[in-house]
Amino acid sequence: GEALASASEARLCEILAFIGTTMLRHMARLSALNPQVHPVHDMHIVTFGESQELVHAYDVASQPVSFHHPMHWLLAEAMKHMHVLTEAHPLRDALSEDDMLRLVEHPVRVAVKLAQIRCNVWVRNGFAIRSQAYHYRDSMWMRDIMYDQDLFLQQCGMAFTTPERFLATLLDRFELVDFLSGRSAQHNVYDAQQLVFMTEELFLLLTVLLNEVSVMAHWPIEAQVRHELIHYLALGPCTYSDLTKQIPERYTDHGCFDHELARVAHFRKPDGSADHGLYELRPAYLADVQPFFHHYSRNQREQAEQVLAEKRQQGCTLPLYQSSQLHVLATTPFSGLAHVFTSPVMADMLF
C-alpha cells in the first residue's frame, strides 16, 4: 500500500480497478470450482419499510465464513490513498455499485460472525472459534492488518454505494429485517436474548463505521498515535510497558511516540523502589475520548463511559455525546458517508 503513496490519480484508479476486477474474477472462478465452500453470489430483494433493495443473499449462520481474506486487505491498503481522488474520479466507471458490494461482502460477513460469537451463537464450537475471533479482533499483533482493514473496507462500501442498499445488506446479513421492521419477534437462529444482542451489535457497528474517520481523513501518523494514546490512557493510569502492550508496534516504534505521549500524558514518578512510574491522561484531552473507539472491547467501552461520568461529577466540562467528525470528509471521496443519516432505511431502523 505504501508504494502507492506518490501515485497519480489516474494511476491509483488504474491499480484499484485492476485489484478489484481481479478479485471479482477469482471469486467467480472459486464459486464455479467449489460452490459449497465458495457459494455463488445470488441476489434477492430485501424489503424494509418502504424501501426495496437488491442485495447479495448469504446466511452467515449456515454458510462458510473465513476470517482470512488477504486480497481484501491488499485492496484496503491501496484504497487508503483515495484521498487524492477528485469527485469525478474514473474508479466509479471501473467498479460498479454491484462490484463494490461484492468486494465488501466478506468483511461484512466477518463482522456478523464476530457478533454471533460474542452472543454465544457458536458456543458449542468452544475455545477454538473464540480464539480465532480474539486474534482477528483484539490481538494487538493482528488487528491492524485484519480487523482494521475490514472496518475500512466496510466504510468504503458505505461511502461508494447508496445508503439504502448498504444498510439493507447489513440488515440482511445480521438477519434482523423481520425483527426491526416489527413483522416478527421470533427467529430461527437467535433466541430472544441473542436477538436483542445482535441488534445492539448492528448499531454498534454502524456507530463505529460513522465515528472512526482517521483512515478516511488521512490523518498524519502523529494524530493516529495521539488518538490511540488518549483512548488507552483514558481507562486509567498505566506504566509505559503496559501502555505499549496495547498499541501496535507500528505506532510504538515510530519516532513521534514518546513525544506524543509526553504531550497527552503526565508522568507520575514512583514513590519508592518497589513502585512504578505511571502515565496519566492530561485533563485537557478528556474531551477527545470516544467511548465507541473502534479498538475498545465491550468492557473497556463501559469503563470509558464510567470514567467520563465520574469526571463530569467532579466538575469537568465534558460533552455528553461526541459531535460527529464526518464534516472533515466533506472534500474527500468519502463524503457520501454522511448520507446515511438522511436515509429512510436508517430512520426506519431507529424509529
Side-chain angles (χ1 to χ4, degrees):
E2 291 300 321
L4 302 178
S6 58
S8 66
E9 177 179 353
R11 182 60 174 162
L12 179 62
C13 286
E14 181 184 351
I15 293 171
L16 289 174
F18 174 77
I19 295 174
T21 53
T22 301
M23 289 172 60
L24 292 170
R25 188 167 61 251
H26 280 285
M27 284 192 283
R29 179 172 175 269
L30 288 171
S31 295
L33 291 174
N34 193 342
Q36 289 187 333
V37 177
H38 305 281
V40 178
H41 285 268
D42 293 326
M43 307 290 284
H44 70 154
I45 297 289
V46 170
T47 302
F48 188 79
E50 297 181 358
S51 299
Q52 289 189 331
E53 301 295 334
L54 183 66
V55 304
H56 296 287
Y58 203 84
D59 184 1
V60 175
S62 63
Q63 293 181 281
V65 175
S66 173
F67 285 100
H68 303 277
H69 32 263
M71 287 300 295
H72 286 78
W73 303 333
L74 171 63
L75 177 63
E77 198 64 31
M79 294 185 82
K80 288 180 181 179
H81 300 285
M82 289 186 66
H83 61 282
V84 304
L85 301 186
T86 59
E87 183 65 27
H89 57 82
L91 186 62
R92 298 179 185 275
D93 299 326
L95 295 174
S96 67
E97 185 174 272
D98 285 345
D99 293 337
M100 186 58 65
L101 280 176
R102 285 186 63 191
L103 289 172
V104 302
E105 175 66 27
H106 286 278
V108 170
R109 293 176 192 173
V110 176
V112 176
K113 180 67 75 175
L114 280 178
Q116 292 178 346
I117 293 171
R118 281 198 287 266
C119 73
N120 294 325
V121 171
W122 299 96
V123 67
R124 293 186 180 181
N125 292 71
F127 178 74
I129 197 166
R130 286 192 173 276
S131 177
Q132 290 185 57
Y134 169 79
H135 284 92
Y136 171 85
R137 167 67 173 81
D138 296 315
S139 170
M140 185 193 69
W141 311 106
M142 303 297 292
R143 72 182 177 202
D144 61 328
I145 62 173
M146 299 174 73
Y147 169 74
D148 288 0
Q149 303 286 59
D150 283 351
L151 194 69
F152 173 59
L153 272 184
Q154 291 175 76
Q155 290 176 316
C156 293
M158 184 179 285
F160 303 135
T161 62
T162 59
E164 292 76 22
R165 202 170 180 193
F166 186 80
L167 291 172
T169 297
L170 288 182
L171 285 166
D172 186 53
R173 215 56 75 246
F174 273 83
E175 298 186 52
L176 294 173
V177 175
D178 289 341
F179 180 66
L180 288 179
S181 61
R183 291 198 290 265
S184 174
Q186 302 295 321
H187 202 279
N188 60 350
V189 176
Y190 314 138
D191 59 31
Q193 185 176 1
Q194 290 170 343
L195 200 53
V196 173
F197 193 102
M198 289 296 291
T199 305
E200 291 178 358
E201 288 290 315
L202 170 59
F203 283 108
L204 174 60
L205 175 62
L206 286 171
T207 301
V208 171
L209 291 176
L210 293 167
N211 191 59
E212 184 53 45
V213 300
S214 59
V215 177
M216 294 181 290
H218 200 63
W219 283 5
I221 186 66
E222 293 82 5
Q224 296 178 45
V225 169
R226 188 162 60 248
H227 190 53
E228 293 277 336
L229 284 169
I230 287 171
H231 284 89
Y232 284 110
L233 287 168
L235 302 177
C238 63
T239 64
Y240 187 89
S241 59
D242 287 341
L243 186 62
T244 54
K245 289 176 183 176
Q246 301 182 77
I247 298 177
E249 280 188 353
R250 65 190 180 96
Y251 293 144
T252 58
D253 289 346
H254 197 275
C256 73
F257 182 80
D258 289 336
H259 173 75
E260 292 300 328
L261 178 58
R263 176 179 177 175
V264 303
H266 167 73
F267 182 67
R268 191 172 70 197
K269 295 181 179 179
D271 294 331
S273 58
D275 197 12
H276 299 282
L278 297 175
Y279 285 91
E280 296 178 305
L281 184 65
R282 298 182 188 274
Y285 291 95
L286 282 169
D288 295 329
V289 178
Q290 301 169 347
F292 292 99
F293 178 54
H294 65 302
H295 286 161
Y296 275 167
S297 64
R298 179 176 286 265
N299 290 339
Q300 287 173 326
R301 186 164 62 251
E302 293 175 355
Q303 185 179 350
E305 291 176 339
Q306 182 178 354
V307 168
L308 293 177
E310 291 174 354
K311 295 296 183 182
R312 292 189 190 96
Q313 291 177 355
Q314 295 169 8
C316 290
T317 304
L318 298 172
L320 286 176
Y321 303 100
Q322 290 289 334
S323 59
S324 172
Q325 299 294 310
L326 292 180
H327 63 276
V328 303
L329 304 177
T331 58
T332 73
F334 301 95
S335 58
L337 208 68
H339 298 158
V340 172
F341 289 110
T342 59
S343 168
V345 175
M346 175 64 86
D348 288 336
M349 290 170 65
L350 293 172
F351 306 107

